[in-house]
Amino acid sequence: MKFGKTLERHQIAEWADHYISYKPLNKELKAIAEDPTEQKFKAWDDKLELELSKVNKFFTQETRRLEEQITATRSDASEIAIHPPAEQEVRARSIEKVLAVLLARLDNLADFSSLNWVACYKILKKHDKVLKGLAPSKLQDLELYKNAPFHNQTAIESLREDVTAVSEVLGVDPEGNFDWIIRNKGQTAG
């Protein structure tokens, strides 16, 4: 299966506009190979940078959104004990759902990051194959993109650790097994 189709198949639908537009970049490479000009090379380079900027911007925004939601959830979790026991369980179950959504979004963000990294690698490799002898190698530029925000797995892992910390405040299995244990005066509520 061609990578462009693989990319489309594995994209998160609501985030589709934020992925590297692999197919148009690939199509443009083929057009450049038929009629290579310095202007077309520059236009392709600019388009690639724009695509990577789009991915970075979305990744950064999504990371910030997750950070804000984790902070709010941490605050909610720390305040559970001030409520009556019956209300504690209701609040904990509500936080359980939020944590499950946050973990799912973190998984999606990790997939988004990985898929775009592969797309970046593949389009640079395709550039070198299609324009071999016509333009300098781009695959060596991959090293430059390793520090791009969208390739920052440390940020994702840090957010996972934050979710785990919130889970532990409530006495929840941090591995994502959300059978809640509500600790109330040493009692376990079911």
Side-chain angles (χ1 to χ4, degrees), residues 67-79 95 99 158-159 161-163 165-166 169:
E67 287 170 348
E68 290 168 3
Q69 289 175 333
I70 291 168
T71 298
T73 304
R74 181 184 296 118
S75 176
D76 292 346
S78 68
E79 294 175 0
I95 293 171
L99 289 172
S158 177
L159 291 171
E161 289 169 8
D162 291 346
V163 170
V166 173
V169 164

Side-chain angles (χ1 to χ4, degrees), residues 103-123:
L103 283 175
R105 285 183 48 210
L106 281 166
D107 287 343
N108 287 345
L109 192 59
D111 291 345
F112 175 85
S113 172
S114 296
L115 202 51
N116 277 295
W117 181 251
V118 172
C120 182
Y121 168 78
K122 291 278 195 178
I123 200 64

Side-chain angles (χ1 to χ4, degrees), residues 85-112:
E87 195 176 326
Q88 288 179 9
E89 185 170 351
V90 171
R91 288 179 179 271
R93 295 218 179 267
S94 175
I95 293 171
E96 168 188 16
K97 292 174 185 170
V98 171
L99 289 172
V101 168
L102 289 171
L103 283 175
R105 285 183 48 210
L106 281 166
D107 287 343
N108 287 345
L109 192 59
D111 291 345
F112 175 85

Side-chain angles (χ1 to χ4, degrees), residues 20-59:
I20 290 175
S21 298
Y22 180 86
K23 281 185 174 181
L25 285 168
N26 188 29
K27 189 175 181 179
E28 208 170 302
L29 282 174
K30 292 174 184 175
I32 294 169
E34 292 173 10
D35 182 27
T37 66
E38 195 61 39
Q39 184 179 11
K40 289 181 180 178
F41 292 139
K42 172 88 170 91
W44 189 88
D45 288 346
D46 290 347
K47 188 171 185 178
L48 176 62
E49 289 303 318
L50 189 63
E51 289 297 313
L52 292 171
S53 177
K54 169 184 74 174
V55 171
N56 284 326
K57 180 179 178 185
F58 177 77
F59 182 89

